[in-house]
Amino acid sequence: MSQNHQETALPRCPGCEEPLEQGDLFCGACGYDLSAVPEPPRDRPTVAIATPGAAASSEVRYDGPGASGDFELAAPGAAPDPRAVPEPPQAPAAAPAAGGKVCVACRAGRVDGDGYCENCGHAQPRERDHMEQELGAVAAVSDRGLRHHRNEDSFAIATTALPDGSPAVVAIVCDGVSSASRPDEASAAAASAANASLLASLPRGTHPQQAMHEAIVAAAESVNVLAQEPGGPERDSHRHQNAPACTLVGAVMAAGLLVVGWVGDSRVYWVPEDRSTAPARLTEDDSWAAQMVATGLMNEAEAYADERAHAITGWLGADAYELEPHTASFKPDRPGLVVVCTDGLWNYAESAAEMAAAVPEDAYARPLHGAQVLVGHALDGGGHDNVTVALLPFAVSPQGAGSA
């Protein structure tokens, strides 16, 4: 590494102004005793300030022999002193790698594997905090809500075709059981498995109601797998405690039929498009409150006012009781909207009439917008839980047959 050297001006004798050599004790020209010349204080150096507009000097100026060198202040626009130690350049924001996520806060940094920006440190929204999807005849929205630290709901929507070429539309909504371990994984596994099962069986010609039953069984098996020890045998479902668990509700529209299936307390509602007939709830909760009403021990108002009301009696998971998938088939005689949702929504619109009132008038034509509005309804109500809803517009001619 090369060094730049610069000649230093020699001090002059105070008596005769002749140049002095470094280290002289007496002036060689006049004999002036240089030891009598006081040395300027080292803690108050004199700094030459360049005259505005004058050419900048790179010379280091001293007040007297032995004074430490101090750099003069450069005039505005002047070239910097070559001996000045430059400040290290500011590190630029970490550019995201190709295909990497960009920070939502600084819009420059790369997001690391833990979900934090490497540039500003901002925590990034997780993918499942808010999800939306639309597939023409079906749309779904899921949101973390205002009180939970993560979204434990999940959904899957899809379209396929029956053997005769007619369309089939699928919506699955799952709600992770918060008191269980890994509820977010349970709901995601169940929704994915149920959806995959339906997409495999419907094109083969399996009756939609039978296909729904098989889909719930497949979902349960996928959740049970999560309770296995890594590399070990499956645990005894009756002895294993706190296994991953979730509820499931689903709907299939195919061949003029509306088929619903469920385990747990997520629900399906029917809202007629023209609102001329009464809406209806198409599922019955697997819950303590529903059990009390079914057995006649309490009326509905009393049961749902109890603190035990939302304790579920059916779920998917290795520690669940014997699996009892519920399915039902309907043949609506008019167009309507199928609302498939978790309790994060219906807690704010419990009755069929309340749900119908919350559904916007244009939801049949704009299902994604309708789902967004319903999620907003739950958030405006307090957002105490994760909230997920799928909307399926059901088209049918008025001459259709009655319900099955």
Side-chain angles (χ1 to χ4, degrees):
M1 181 172 61
S2 63
Q3 292 181 340
N4 293 326
H5 296 276
Q6 186 170 355
E7 185 177 348
T8 303
L10 295 175
R12 295 180 182 272
C13 173
C16 65
E17 294 294 320
E18 289 295 321
L20 300 172
E21 295 294 331
Q22 292 286 354
D24 284 351
L25 297 178
F26 298 90
C27 175
C30 68
Y32 192 95
D33 185 2
L34 298 175
S35 64
V37 179
E39 185 175 337
R42 294 181 181 270
D43 58 345
R44 299 181 62 186
T46 301
V47 180
I49 302 177
T51 304
S57 171
S58 61
E59 178 185 358
V60 178
R61 300 180 62 184
Y62 295 90
D63 266 356
S68 61
D70 291 280
F71 300 111
E72 63 182 353
L73 299 180
D81 191 284
R83 290 164 304 169
V85 179
E87 293 186 5
Q90 295 292 326
K101 292 184 178 179
V102 178
C103 174
V104 300
C106 69
R107 297 290 182 183
R110 185 176 69 88
V111 178
D112 65 20
D114 294 325
Y116 292 88
C117 176
E118 293 183 346
N119 179 52
C120 69
H122 190 90
Q124 306 299 298
R126 286 167 291 195
E127 182 180 359
R128 286 181 65 173
D129 282 357
H130 186 88
M131 301 179 290
E132 297 185 1
Q133 188 179 2
E134 184 175 33
L135 292 175
V138 57
V141 176
S142 181
D143 193 271
R144 184 185 69 184
L146 304 179
R147 303 296 181 90
H148 284 240
H149 72 284
R150 65 180 175 185
N151 190 357
E152 296 169 356
D153 288 357
S154 191
F155 69 80
I157 58 176
T159 59
T160 187
L162 302 180
D164 63 2
S166 61
V169 182
V170 172
I172 301 293
V173 168
C174 296
D175 183 355
V177 177
S178 295
S179 59
S181 63
R182 298 150 61 197
D184 53 332
E185 296 180 39
S187 63
S192 177
N195 184 62
S197 177
L198 287 165
L199 293 183
S201 60
L202 290 171
R204 291 199 305 260
T206 305
H207 189 279
Q209 191 165 357
Q210 178 62 30
M212 178 62 76
H213 180 96
E214 294 173 358
I216 296 174
V217 172
E221 291 173 350
S222 72
V223 178
N224 290 349
V225 168
L226 297 177
Q228 295 178 3
E229 292 284 2
E234 185 175 356
R235 298 173 179 175
D236 185 329
S237 62
H238 295 288
R239 290 188 293 106
H240 180 57
Q241 299 297 315
N242 203 36
C246 69
T247 69
L248 181 149
V249 66
V252 172
M253 298 187 313
L257 289 176
L258 169 60
V259 172
V260 299
W262 73 98
V263 174
D265 63 349
S266 294
R267 294 180 175 180
V268 178
Y269 292 85
W270 167 258
V271 179
E273 183 201 4
D274 60 9
R275 312 293 174 98
S276 62
T277 56
R281 175 154 61 97
L282 306 183
T283 57
E284 293 292 337
D285 299 344
D286 288 323
S287 70
W288 181 90
Q291 195 173 64
M292 292 299 102
V293 174
T295 56
L297 297 176
M298 289 183 175
N299 62 39
E300 191 166 337
E302 293 171 337
Y304 281 97
D306 193 284
E307 62 181 8
R308 296 166 290 181
H310 292 280
I312 58 175
T313 57
W315 61 90
L316 306 182
D319 60 351
Y321 301 109
E322 184 177 354
L323 179 64
E324 295 182 6
H326 311 291
T327 62
S329 179
F330 304 87
K331 197 164 187 178
D333 61 357
R334 66 198 66 211
L337 192 69
V338 182
V339 181
V340 185
C341 65
T342 62
D343 61 345
L345 172 59
W346 67 252
N347 277 332
Y348 299 98
E350 188 168 334
S351 70
E354 291 171 327
M355 183 62 71
V359 173
E361 293 290 339
D362 63 350
Y364 184 87
R366 303 172 61 197
L368 178 59
H369 171 70
Q372 293 167 339
V373 170
L374 287 173
V375 169
H377 176 77
L379 298 180
D380 290 343
H384 287 76
D385 198 357
N386 308 144
V387 53
T388 302
V389 58
L391 298 184
L392 300 83
F394 190 98
V396 65
S397 65
Q399 290 77 28
S403 63

